[in-house]
Amino acid sequence: MKDFFWMALSIVAAFLLYTVFSKISLSLLHLINLFSLIVIYFASERGEIYGACLGTFCGLIQDSFSLGVFGVAGVSKTLMGFLAGYFAGKVNVTSLRRSFLFIFVLISMELFIWASLFTFVFSERVSTGGGLLFFQPLLTALLGSVGFYFIRKKKKSSS
Amino acid sequence: MPYSWKKRKNLIILLSLIFLQLILISVQVPLGEEENYFERVVFTVFSPLQHGVVSFFRGLGNFWKSYIGLHRVHKDNERLREEMFFLKQENNLLREMLKVYRTEKEISGLFSDLQKKILPARVIGIDASNVWKSLNINKGSLDGVKKNMVVLDKHGHLVGRIVDPISFREARVQMITDTESGVSVIPEAKDVPGVLIGEGNGRCKLEFILSTDTAIVEGDRLITAGFDGIYFPGIVVGHILSVVGVEGLFKIIKVEPSFKIQELDLLAIITVDSKEVF
């Protein structure tokens, strides 16, 4: 129940931050993928099915605020959530360096799947925001690895 | 539970989730179909959150301006008075010019009606997948907003039109820079109609201009022609950026829209049907 509460709060926080970013600068939206970070974190903590379901939910929220086909971001986040939970169970990804690499690979994979599906459905190229989209895996992984490190450290010290 | 059954069960759940979403995607093709019920529900639930956050920060900004940034108030006041003076002059001149075609009574009636049909709105969010596709605004069905209403920026330039979903206090605007958007346009003072289609990257292209046409040149200002039955004629849309070449029978013409995405905050929704305006 507690986990569910934190997950719901994280989704709402990500959504609100996304709104704030869009008012500060449009470039920030291309550079940081907050919803994916939430999916990766909870998938690593709770497993692949939790990750897949959360990925579906977050992806569909993201899709509902875009004009176009509902479900494109959902598919990519579902896959990413599943893989995040699966590999987190097999490999220790708690250290800063491993966490960075883990998030980087997952976000890159998600971006690739999303872009491929987007191109297939819409028959048009993805808008890269002047190339900023290519930096999304790097910056999101940096932010995520540092954030996860502090969250896990705090959890450890409180328990 | 045996390990291999657990693995299989997880895989079945994953494949079911993906399969359901692929079904969801496929039922929306061909593109242009109405939003599905689930998407409307999610939009209705989450858009008030966007609305709330933006209102909160705007309130903070207004508090700063009103009580702390007072030193700018006098300067802003003077600038706005000067701007209003010139706008009034321009308005009077245009009314005089319009008298050639209409009586004074008709003009007064037209403009007084038009003022009542302008609904101001603010941007509360933008498209998650592509910032040039759509944006969300803080007016919805309870404010009288309906599908296909025209949306202008604060300078009167065309931004786009209202599309589904529309919730009680929020709605979505499809921008003219969206690849699915089409606007019938003509260059000012030239009779060469075309269709403006978004490219999804902040620019548009003007289509169906014959390769033999010599009237259209770089710098020409484009206005809506009104042939699409959605956008009433005479709205400034953009200007010709370049005529880059020929593809088949038609020219390849790049257009820069007049609205600036960084300045999109206050918008005007025209709540009157385009056929009722002129």
Side-chain angles (χ1 to χ4, degrees), chain A:
Chain A
M1 196 63 196
K2 204 174 152 190
D3 265 349
F4 181 77
F5 169 75
W6 283 115
M7 185 199 71
L9 196 66
S10 306
I11 291 171
V12 171
F15 181 75
L16 298 180
L17 272 170
Y18 171 82
T19 306
V20 171
F21 284 172
S22 68
K23 297 305 260 181
I24 297 171
S25 168
L26 297 175
S27 307
L28 284 172
L29 299 178
H30 286 114
L31 289 171
I32 299 168
N33 193 336
L34 290 168
F35 282 112
S36 294
L37 279 179
I38 290 169
V39 172
I40 293 171
Y41 177 77
F42 285 101
S44 323
E45 298 287 307
R46 301 280 282 169
E48 59 260 38
I49 292 305
Y50 203 88
C53 294
L54 186 59
T56 303
F57 187 66
C58 289
L60 292 180
I61 292 176
Q62 201 169 316
D63 276 329
S64 72
F65 283 89
S66 75
L67 187 71
V69 178
F70 190 57
V72 172
V75 169
S76 54
K77 279 194 169 47
T78 303
L79 270 167
M80 185 198 67
F82 184 87
L83 290 172
Y86 182 76
F87 285 112
K90 303 265 183 228
V91 179
N92 180 2
V93 291
T94 49
S95 72
L96 199 59
R97 209 182 308 171
R98 281 190 180 195
S99 181
F100 171 81
L101 199 62
F102 181 61
I103 298 170
F104 181 82
V105 167
L106 284 168
I107 301 278
S108 304
M109 184 214 74
E110 190 221 337
L111 206 55
F112 177 76
I113 296 171
W114 175 78
S116 306
L117 208 49
F118 187 94
T119 306
F120 179 71
V121 170
F122 291 101
S123 302
E124 66 183 68
R125 279 185 302 182
V126 165
S127 167
T128 60
L132 288 176
L133 197 67
F134 297 115
F135 291 96
Q136 191 185 99
L138 180 69
L139 273 147
T140 310
L142 260 167
L143 187 74
S145 54
V146 170
F148 291 179
Y149 175 77
F150 282 113
I151 291 170
R152 284 172 181 142
K153 203 174 172 188
K154 190 167 186 306
K155 267 176 108 171
K156 224 179 194 176
S157 60
S158 59
S159 64

Side-chain angles (χ1 to χ4, degrees), chain A residues 15-16 18-20 22-23 26 29 48-49 52-53 56 60-72 74-75 78-79 82 90 114 121-122 124 127, chain B residues 3 10 14 17-18 21 24-25 28 31 36 38-39 42 46-47 49-50 53-54 57 123-124 126-130 133-134 136 163 172 174 178-179 200 265:
Chain A
F15 181 75
L16 298 180
Y18 171 82
T19 306
V20 171
S22 68
K23 297 305 260 181
L26 297 175
L29 299 178
E48 59 260 38
I49 292 305
C53 294
T56 303
L60 292 180
I61 292 176
Q62 201 169 316
D63 276 329
S64 72
F65 283 89
S66 75
L67 187 71
V69 178
F70 190 57
V72 172
V75 169
T78 303
L79 270 167
F82 184 87
K90 303 265 183 228
W114 175 78
V121 170
F122 291 101
E124 66 183 68
S127 167
Chain B
Y3 184 64
N10 288 348
L14 170 71
L17 282 171
I18 292 175
Q21 286 174 94
L24 198 61
I25 291 169
Q28 292 168 76
L31 297 173
N36 60 66
F38 185 54
E39 188 175 355
V42 175
F46 279 88
S47 54
L49 278 174
Q50 261 191 337
V53 164
V54 172
F57 282 102
V123 175
I124 57 170
I126 55 169
D127 198 311
S129 64
N130 183 340
K133 270 179 143 4
S134 69
N136 298 334
V163 292
R172 183 175 289 159
Q174 180 191 38
D178 178 29
T179 52
D265 184 30

Side-chain angles (χ1 to χ4, degrees), chain B residues 182-199:
Chain B
V183 185
S184 77
V185 296
I186 48 169
E188 260 182 337
K190 291 179 187 175
D191 193 20
V192 187
V195 178
L196 190 81
I197 294 173
E199 290 192 313

